[in-house]
Coordinates of all heavy atoms in Angstrom, one line a residue:
T42 N -15.0 -10.3 4.4 CA -14.8 -9.0 3.7 C -14.1 -8.1 4.6 O -14.4 -8.0 5.8 CB -16.2 -8.5 3.3 OG1 -16.9 -9.4 2.6 CG2 -16.2 -7.2 2.6
N118 N -23.7 -5.7 5.1 CA -22.4 -6.2 5.0 C -21.4 -5.1 4.6 O -20.3 -5.4 4.1 CB -22.3 -7.4 4.1 CG -22.8 -7.1 2.7 OD1 -23.3 -6.0 2.4 ND2 -22.6 -8.1 1.8
F234 N -25.5 -10.2 9.1 CA -24.1 -10.5 8.9 C -23.4 -10.4 10.3 O -23.8 -9.6 11.1 CB -23.5 -9.5 7.9 CG -24.0 -9.7 6.5 CD1 -25.1 -9.0 6.0 CD2 -23.3 -10.6 5.7 CE1 -25.5 -9.2 4.7 CE2 -23.8 -10.8 4.4 CZ -24.9 -10.1 3.9
Y285 N -30.2 -16.9 0.0 CA -28.9 -17.0 0.7 C -28.4 -18.4 1.0 O -27.3 -18.6 1.3 CB -29.0 -16.3 2.0 CG -29.1 -14.8 1.8 CD1 -30.1 -14.1 2.5 CD2 -28.2 -14.1 1.0 CE1 -30.1 -12.7 2.4 CE2 -28.3 -12.8 0.9 CZ -29.2 -12.1 1.6 OH -29.3 -10.7 1.4
A376 N -14.3 -4.8 -3.5 CA -15.0 -6.0 -2.8 C -14.5 -6.1 -1.4 O -15.2 -6.4 -0.5 CB -14.7 -7.3 -3.6
Ligands
NAG704 C1 -23.2 -8.0 0.5 O1 -24.3 -9.0 0.4 C2 -24.9 -9.0 -0.9 C3 -26.0 -9.9 -0.7 O2 -26.9 -9.4 0.2 C4 -23.9 -9.4 -1.9 O3 -24.5 -9.4 -3.2 C5 -22.7 -8.5 -1.9 O4 -21.8 -8.9 -2.8 C6 -22.2 -8.3 -0.5 N1 -21.2 -7.3 -0.5 C7 -20.0 -7.5 0.0 C8 -19.1 -6.3 0.0 O5 -19.6 -8.6 0.5

Side-chain angles (χ1 to χ4, degrees):
T42 302
N118 58 355
F234 291 92
Y285 288 132

